[in-house]
């Protein structure tokens, strides 16, 4: 699939929905493929120390949990900083969190006052930071505690890989008026998102790599065709 493909929030969701419901690809398989692909990219870029994976509570966090597990499988030191309460996790993200916990990979919670106090030091101690806090579903400026984490991350001068898009950058509209992660690299899935192409977005995305998640070419071409037709008709209603 061409790296020039662009799909908005609602159409990228349609790819996920049809992959699961019509093609029978389980959600955890798509998440596994996304996380493994991001680790492949990290390995090509070079890892020389601890990778700290910052996770929120949605599917973006689930990708982060997979990334931490695959890093550890390949012999790297991986740690997770959970920026939400574990009881907020659900679905495929919760499934992968439970696998991660049983794997005994270090998990730190921002709800721990000690972790919050030492956040800047924790970030500076890592070789890479993986931003898996806010994904394509996030709308508008980052809210607490993510805004504070983003500001601290941007002050750390660490290498950053954003998962799907930098936290604080709107999938469709680009950088928001709030805090936005400044990544060195972005691993976006299936297609470019419109927000990654907005003027000035490159200062936050760094170098963008489009990675597949195993969704069939036929499915993506079907969705692209429908998205193009909707644009021609001026129909931005949610796909049926």
């Amino acid at each position: 699939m061409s790296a020039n493909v662009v799909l908005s929030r609602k159409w990228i969701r349609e790819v996920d929905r049809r992959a699961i419901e019509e093609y029978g690809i389980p959600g955890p398989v798509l998440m596994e493929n996304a996380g493994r692909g991001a680790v492949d990219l990290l390995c090509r870029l070079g890892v020389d120390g601890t990778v700290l994976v910052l996770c929120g509570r949605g599917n973006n966090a689930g990708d982060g949990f997979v990334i931490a597990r695959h890093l550890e499988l390949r012999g790297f030191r991986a740690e997770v900083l959970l920026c939400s309460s574990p009881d907020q996790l659900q679905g495929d993200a919760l499934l992968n969190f439970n696998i991660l916990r049983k794997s005994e990979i270090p998990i730190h919670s921002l709800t721990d006052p000690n972790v919050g106090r030492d956040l800047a030091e924790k970030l500076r101690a890592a070789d890479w930071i993986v931003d898996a806090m806010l994904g394509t579903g996030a709308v508008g400026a980052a809210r607490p505690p993510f805004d504070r984490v983003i500001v601290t991350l941007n002050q750390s001068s660490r290498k950053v890989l954003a998962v799907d898009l930098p936290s604080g950058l709107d999938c469709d509209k680009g950088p928001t008026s709030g805090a936005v992660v400044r990544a060195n690299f972005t691993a976006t899935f299936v297609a470019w998102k419109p927000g990654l192409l907005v003027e000035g977005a490159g200062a936050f995305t760094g170098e963008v790599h489009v990675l597949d998640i195993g969704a069939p070419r036929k499915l993506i071409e079907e969705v692209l065709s429908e998205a193009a037709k909707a644009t021609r008709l001026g129909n931005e209603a949610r796909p049926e």
Side-chain angles (χ1 to χ4, degrees):
M1 183 58 60
S2 171
N4 296 322
V5 170
V6 182
L7 288 172
S8 66
R9 176 185 289 113
K10 69 181 181 183
W11 292 106
I12 208 71
R13 285 177 174 173
E14 186 70 354
V15 170
D16 287 345
R17 184 190 70 79
R18 293 188 189 182
I20 295 168
E21 296 179 7
E22 298 179 10
Y23 284 76
I25 305 174
V29 171
L30 298 175
M31 188 170 285
E32 188 80 6
N33 291 343
R36 187 195 299 265
V39 172
D40 288 341
L41 174 58
L42 269 174
C43 289
R44 292 196 299 271
L45 295 172
V47 179
D48 297 315
T50 299
V51 180
L52 181 62
V53 186
L54 309 183
C55 296
R57 60 175 178 267
N59 282 344
N60 200 242
D63 296 336
F65 300 146
V66 174
I67 288 169
R69 174 161 48 83
H70 278 278
L71 283 167
E72 195 262 350
L73 272 170
R74 300 186 195 193
F76 299 108
R77 168 78 178 179
E79 299 184 16
V80 167
L81 175 59
L82 188 61
C83 300
S84 61
S85 174
D87 61 16
Q88 294 180 298
L89 297 169
Q90 56 186 331
D92 298 341
L94 177 59
L95 181 152
N96 275 293
F97 178 75
N98 287 332
I99 295 173
L100 192 74
R101 190 162 48 184
K102 292 175 183 177
S103 303
E104 299 184 353
I105 292 172
I107 301 172
H108 313 281
S109 177
L110 200 60
T111 58
D112 181 339
N114 293 326
V115 173
R117 186 185 64 244
D118 300 332
L119 176 61
E121 181 179 342
K122 192 73 178 171
L123 292 169
R124 285 195 300 267
D127 178 45
W128 277 93
I129 307 294
V130 172
D131 166 27
M133 291 184 287
L134 302 174
T136 57
V139 177
R143 294 178 285 275
F146 300 104
D147 54 352
R148 179 172 71 88
V149 176
I150 292 170
V151 170
T152 309
L153 169 58
N154 287 343
Q155 294 171 343
S156 71
S157 300
R158 298 295 87 191
K159 294 175 291 186
V160 178
L161 173 70
V163 177
D164 222 0
L165 42 78
S167 292
L169 188 147
D170 186 279
C171 175
D172 289 345
K173 299 179 180 179
T176 63
S177 59
V180 182
V181 167
R182 290 186 178 273
N184 301 93
F185 300 89
T186 295
T188 198
F189 303 121
V190 180
W192 283 80
K193 314 306 185 297
L196 300 174
L197 296 167
V198 170
E199 184 177 359
F204 301 96
T205 65
E207 184 176 292
V208 178
H209 294 255
V210 181
L211 309 181
D212 77 84
I213 60 171
R217 179 185 292 271
K218 179 177 182 290
L219 166 59
I220 298 172
E221 289 177 346
E222 288 171 351
V223 172
L224 278 171
S225 176
E226 292 179 26
K229 181 179 179 181
T231 298
R232 288 196 301 271
L233 297 175
N235 175 20
E236 283 300 310
R238 183 177 176 85
E240 296 297 330

